[in-house]
């Protein structure tokens, strides 16, 4: 039985903005707990909505930056949190926000009162599902400024992000996410935990940002582009996918040197082996 927020003031909802508000009290607590101790930390909340998580986060975080696209909700949030000097509400599209700038300084009354050096933020949110992948890619690209993500996404997305190589759900999103950090699915929620209930199940995952590019001796843009080639057609063998971007002879010799059978499918290959193959291909030549 889900314990829900009593007496909610119901705002006008915009389904196009993915506005399924969390009303499950246990889930709110578990999400915020999953961030760990954030008393000295900057936390960015994506899509605070009606403040289901924001209320808890505001009490715990050193600094909270809440980014909400909906003008009405952003105005309500600003009024509600004005008395708290550690909370900033940005009315903005998270996809347009320059995280480097937002995390760089402390605007408002706290400007110059806190250290301005490079620090890493925690990012949390019950994401608007219609732009999940774009948000994730943006966060991965800012991995050097982020320590931990705790995000609610559609269950299938969480399953793909956390899938191990060789399993049914492993694919481009899994490989990409796992190049940027260690991932862990925490728990699932049914539609009844939200108002209005979405048509899908949801899940929360945590990701500790620990990019692996340097450890695997690969360059980030080149290797991410290579993963897209490897997973270009899910049912095809790696040999067939690679031939879309590289000469046939180079594909054959690189696979041989990396000791990977051309008939293998990308989802069965570990990131370590992917990196070895990438380096072999790179040593041979640039893509055709
Ligand atoms: N955090 C609240 C909760 O758990 O109840 C709301 C979550 S609701 C699933 C997603 C929120 O993201 C909504 O408040 C919506 O207005 C906001 N949103 C949608 N698109 C956004 C965008 N591009 N940038 C920032 N916020 C966005």
């Amino acid at each position: 039985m889900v314990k829900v927020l009593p007496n909610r003031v119901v705002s006008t909802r915009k389904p196009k903005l993915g506005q399924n508000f969390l009303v499950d009290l246990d889930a709110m607590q578990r999400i915020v707990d999953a961030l760990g101790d954030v008393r000295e930390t900057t936390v960015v909340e994506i899509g605070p909505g009606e403040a289901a998580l924001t209320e808890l986060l505001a009490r715990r975080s050193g600094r909270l930056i809440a980014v909400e696209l909906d003008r009405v909700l952003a105005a309500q949030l600003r009024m509600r949190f004005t008395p708290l000097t550690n909370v900033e509400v940005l009315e903005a599209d998270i996809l347009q926000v320059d995280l480097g700038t937002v995390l760089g300084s402390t605007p408002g009354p706290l400007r110059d009162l806190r250290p301005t050096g490079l620090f890493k933020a925690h990012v949390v949110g019950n994401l608007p599902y219609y732009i999940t992948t774009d948000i994730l890619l943006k966060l991965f690209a800012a991995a050097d400024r982020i320590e931990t993500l705790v995000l609610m996404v559609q269950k299938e997305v969480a399953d793909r992000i956390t899938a191990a190589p060789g399993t049914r759900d492993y694919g481009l999103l899994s490989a990409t996410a796992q190049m940027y950090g260690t991932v862990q699915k925490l728990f699932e929620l049914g539609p009844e935990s939200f108002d209005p209930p979405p048509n899908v199940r949801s899940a929360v995952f945590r990701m500790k940002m620990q990019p692996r590019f340097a450890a695997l001796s690969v360059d980030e843009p080149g290797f991410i582009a290579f993963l897209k080639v490897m997973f270009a057609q899910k049912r095809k063998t790696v040999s067939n996918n690679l031939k879309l971007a590289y000469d046939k002879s180079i594909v054959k010799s690189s696979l041989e040197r990396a000791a990977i059978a051309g008939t293998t499918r990308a989802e069965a290959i570990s990131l370590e082996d992917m990196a070895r193959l990438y380096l072999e291909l790179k040593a041979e030549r640039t893509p055709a």
Side-chain angles (χ1 to χ4, degrees):
M1 179 72 177
V2 174
K3 269 188 284 162
V4 300
L5 267 183
N7 306 324
R8 289 176 58 244
V9 180
V10 177
S11 60
T12 321
R13 293 179 198 113
K14 302 189 179 79
K16 270 195 189 155
L17 291 186
Q19 292 184 353
N20 299 95
F21 297 112
L22 187 63
V23 291
D24 179 332
L25 292 169
D26 286 338
M28 293 172 200
Q29 197 64 54
R30 289 175 77 184
I31 292 170
V32 174
D33 286 349
L35 283 171
D37 183 352
V38 287
R39 277 174 298 183
E40 300 288 322
T41 309
T42 293
V43 176
V44 176
E45 186 189 2
I46 300 174
E50 295 182 339
L53 303 174
T54 323
E55 194 65 53
L56 295 171
L57 291 167
R59 280 187 246 137
R60 290 199 187 181
S61 319
R63 179 184 174 204
L64 174 64
I65 303 170
V67 183
E68 174 58 59
L69 178 61
D70 185 314
R71 175 168 295 188
V72 176
L73 290 175
Q76 287 171 351
L77 288 159
R78 206 168 282 129
M79 283 202 296
R80 181 162 167 183
F81 291 101
T82 293
L84 299 184
T85 51
N86 65 326
V87 181
E88 296 148 41
V89 178
L90 292 187
E91 182 196 322
D93 176 350
I94 187 64
L95 297 178
Q96 303 301 324
V97 167
D98 177 351
L99 287 173
T101 306
V102 166
L103 297 175
S105 65
T106 308
L110 296 179
R111 188 187 291 279
D112 301 331
L113 293 181
R114 289 172 185 233
T116 51
L118 206 68
F119 59 88
K120 294 193 175 192
H122 285 43
V123 177
V124 63
N126 169 14
L127 294 189
Y129 293 173
Y130 72 105
I131 46 170
T132 301
T133 309
D134 291 341
I135 294 176
L136 291 175
L137 294 179
K138 181 175 179 115
L139 296 174
F140 296 163
D144 59 334
R145 304 302 310 272
I146 300 173
E147 195 170 314
T148 305
L149 303 178
V150 175
L151 299 175
M152 170 112 63
V153 293
Q154 199 174 318
K155 174 197 172 298
E156 288 73 14
V157 176
D159 287 342
R160 279 159 51 206
I161 287 173
T162 55
T167 61
R168 193 199 55 183
D169 291 322
Y170 192 79
L172 179 60
L173 184 60
S174 334
T176 307
Q178 291 168 32
M179 277 306 292
Y180 286 96
T182 51
V183 287
Q184 185 189 8
K185 183 170 157 185
L186 300 180
F187 60 92
E188 288 186 17
L189 290 175
E192 67 283 0
S193 292
F194 303 84
D195 182 20
N199 298 325
V200 293
R201 283 185 69 75
S202 302
V204 176
F205 73 93
R206 178 170 48 208
M207 179 161 169
K208 293 272 176 207
M209 295 305 227
Q210 280 158 352
R212 299 184 63 194
F213 300 95
L216 294 177
S217 308
V218 294
D219 62 296
E220 182 176 339
F223 191 66
I224 292 297
F226 168 73
L227 289 179
K228 287 185 187 145
V229 173
M230 289 288 275
F231 287 98
Q233 308 171 89
K234 202 161 159 66
R235 307 265 158 256
K236 299 256 169 157
T237 63
V238 281
S239 176
N240 281 335
N241 277 335
L242 286 173
K243 281 179 201 158
L244 299 173
Y246 300 86
D247 282 348
K248 234 170 149 178
S249 58
I250 291 176
V251 170
K252 190 168 179 289
S253 56
S254 300
L255 281 165
E256 274 167 15
R257 275 205 307 282
I260 295 172
T263 50
T264 316
R265 297 224 168 96
E267 59 262 34
I269 303 177
S270 69
L271 285 170
E272 291 77 4
D273 285 350
M274 289 270 190
R276 280 192 307 108
L277 178 56
Y278 171 68
L279 292 171
E280 292 294 352
L281 283 159
K282 217 176 146 186
E284 284 263 10
R285 52 141 297 152
T286 46

